[in-house]
Each structure stands twice: as structure tokens, then as C-alpha cells.
Amino acid sequence: MRILFIGDIFGRPGRTIVRDKLKDLVREHRIDLILANGENAAAGFGITPALAEDLFDLGIDVLTTGNHIWDKREIIDYFASANGDAHSPARRVLRPANYARDLPGTGLYQGTKNDVQYAVLNLQGRVFMASNDDPFRIADELLTRLKEKIIFVDMHAEATSEKVALGWYLDGRVTAMVGTHTHIPTADERVLPGGTAYITDVGMTGPYEGVIGVRKEQIIGRFLNNMPVRFEPATGDTRLCAVVVDADDATGRARSIERIMVS
Ligand SMILES: [Fe+2]
Ligand SMILES: [Fe+2]
């Protein structure tokens, strides 16, 4: 199975470049399964049900998220609308699995694509972020339940150390662990010795003529004077950042991971 994972899709520029480039990427890289982090799809802050379904219509199979998941409150009713249907679009939007158990939504999706069973697990870090449950132990707990060989993990986290540590911790137990959230791609993609494809951050899919997606004047102003400001999405220099993971269906081990940036 060949898996494309697209990093944090940011606002209209991010959604537009996905729409424009996805078909060619899928053909060129012979992709079977398409995953993306959609936490910034709605002008940088959260994702609405309509935007999630637009992304599904483009061919994305599962959307992961992160700390921005509750920014658009409609997502709460959307999660409820899945109503026990394990494959409805609403069930294919994940929130980090290590949030409190009684919160809406879920952090794990189990599906089948091209006759191959797969699972997607969304986790969030705790270093320089809200204090959620332990992502290491929640991963342990969920992985013992899974029978799928192909398991893809999005670790949405700020600290590189926490992501590197989780990569080593999960090595040999999952097909891939990729980092999201910092919006800056890292050049450390590799397959770890146990067969887990790893990258610290996939990078943002959105406008790079800004500061991690936001208009640069607003962020520079914030650093200069610390006054609150309403952040607006940047425009310009839009890039799509992703990785392609090639995995052995029989063992779930990754054969390769390739970093992609297209503009
Ligand atoms: Fe993000
Ligand atoms: Fe984030």
C-alpha cells in the first residue's frame, strides 16, 4: 500500500493547492490511500463539516486534526452525526485520541482501501501544549486492540523531542509516525530499524509568505508589542507539503518514506 499524507491544510490557499495538485500526485506516486491533517482548513482555525466533505470529495480518505479541532463549533454536532456509522464522513474526521474520553469524536479510524485493512491514529503532544492524556500510553492501549497491519499515526506536537521519542517508542509497531503542527517541514524522514517510517514534521500545505500560515505583519506586530490581534490567513507562495510512505501489506513495515513539496 502506498500512502500519501498531506501536512496541515491551511485556509483557502491550502485547500486550493490540494484541489489543483492532488490528482497528479496520486497518479505520479501510484497512491492507494490519502490522508491529510485538516485542523487549519477553515481560514487557519479548525474545520467545518462542509470543508471536511469538500476534502473527502477530492479523494482524501481520512482527516486528522489537532489543537484547532474545536475552533469551529459545528464540528461537535458533526461528530455526533456519525451516530454509530463506523465509516460515515463524520467518522473519518479524527481528533487526537489522547483528549479526555468523554469529549466528542474519536482519535482512531479503521478502514479498508483497495482490499487492504488499515488504521489511522491521531495523537497530540503535551510539551508546550495543553495537558492532555499521555500520548505514549494511549498509543499502547489502542495498538493492542488493532489487528490491521497498516497503521498510520499523526502525532500533532510542538516539541521535536516528543515526536522523535514517540517515533522510537512506536518503531516496529506502526507503519508510519509523522509529525504535524509546527507547519515547517523537517529534513529527517527515514525508516527506523523496526520498519516504521518517520518524519518530525510534514510541514504546512498553505501560504509560506507569512508566519506559519498567518499574515506576517500581524505576527511581527504581535512580537513587537504583545497586543492581541485577530489573525488572518496569509496569501502567496502556496506550497503543498506531504510524504509518501510505501508499505508492505503483509507485514505493515514501511519500505520507504519520501518528502514532497510542490508549489
Ligand atoms: Fe496546524
Ligand atoms: Fe496544531
Side-chain angles (χ1 to χ4, degrees):
M1 176 175 259
R2 292 176 60 80
I3 307 159
L4 178 74
F5 181 95
I6 302 167
D8 304 42
I9 299 170
F10 196 103
R12 184 182 300 276
R15 299 187 326 257
T16 303
I17 196 168
V18 171
R19 195 189 59 214
D20 292 348
K21 304 286 182 185
L22 186 57
K23 253 201 187 107
D24 285 347
L25 280 175
V26 166
R27 195 179 50 236
E28 274 168 41
H29 294 274
R30 306 184 320 281
I31 298 300
D32 300 298
L33 178 66
I34 310 172
L35 312 174
N37 186 300
E39 72 151 4
N40 308 111
F45 295 89
I47 186 166
T48 62
L51 290 179
E53 299 205 353
D54 286 351
L55 292 169
F56 290 139
D57 287 345
L58 297 178
I60 293 172
D61 294 289
V62 182
L63 287 163
T64 56
T65 61
N67 53 301
H68 285 292
I69 184 60
W70 311 126
D71 290 358
K72 295 286 176 281
R73 304 291 289 181
E74 306 94 292
I75 205 69
I76 294 172
D77 288 338
Y78 190 56
F79 282 150
S81 78
N83 205 14
D85 175 351
H87 302 288
S88 71
R91 188 58 190 72
R92 289 187 281 120
V93 180
L94 301 180
R95 52 98 170 141
N98 56 322
Y99 282 12
R101 276 167 215 270
D102 54 340
L103 291 183
T106 163
L108 177 67
Y109 177 76
Q110 295 167 277
T112 304
K113 190 76 187 282
N114 299 346
D115 296 323
V116 178
Q117 292 187 317
Y118 69 92
V120 181
L121 174 57
N122 194 181
L123 295 166
Q124 186 170 308
R126 299 195 293 183
V127 178
F128 309 128
M129 298 188 87
S131 57
N132 292 301
D133 291 341
D134 178 352
F136 291 75
R137 288 184 173 83
I138 293 289
D140 284 341
E141 193 182 310
L142 293 172
L143 290 177
T144 54
R145 280 197 232 155
L146 297 182
K147 56 185 185 327
E148 294 82 0
K149 297 285 185 201
I150 303 289
I151 303 172
F152 199 101
V153 179
D154 174 0
M155 170 60 159
H156 195 77
E158 183 77 38
T160 52
S161 60
E162 195 178 17
K163 293 194 260 193
V164 174
L166 188 73
W168 285 117
Y169 189 67
L170 297 179
D171 183 26
R173 296 197 280 160
V174 304
T175 305
M177 192 224 99
V178 304
T180 56
H181 177 69
T182 68
H183 292 195
I184 304 292
T186 57
D188 62 338
E189 73 278 9
R190 61 176 159 163
V191 178
L192 298 172
T196 295
Y198 176 84
I199 187 168
T200 298
D201 210 290
V202 176
M204 173 184 70
T205 293
Y208 277 71
E209 203 175 303
V211 179
I212 62 170
V214 174
R215 282 183 51 202
K216 55 185 181 297
E217 301 76 14
Q218 295 175 334
I219 302 290
I220 292 168
R222 178 73 172 266
F223 278 112
L224 287 172
N225 58 32
N226 266 328
M227 290 178 188
V229 58
R230 202 185 128 85
F231 291 151
E232 292 160 325
T235 52
D237 192 15
T238 301
R239 307 182 199 183
L240 185 156
C241 284
V243 290
V244 173
V245 172
D246 184 71
D248 181 331
D249 301 346
T251 62
R253 288 173 71 104
R255 294 190 191 97
S256 64
I257 176 169
E258 181 189 350
R259 179 163 43 94
I260 287 173
M261 182 189 277
V262 291
S263 50

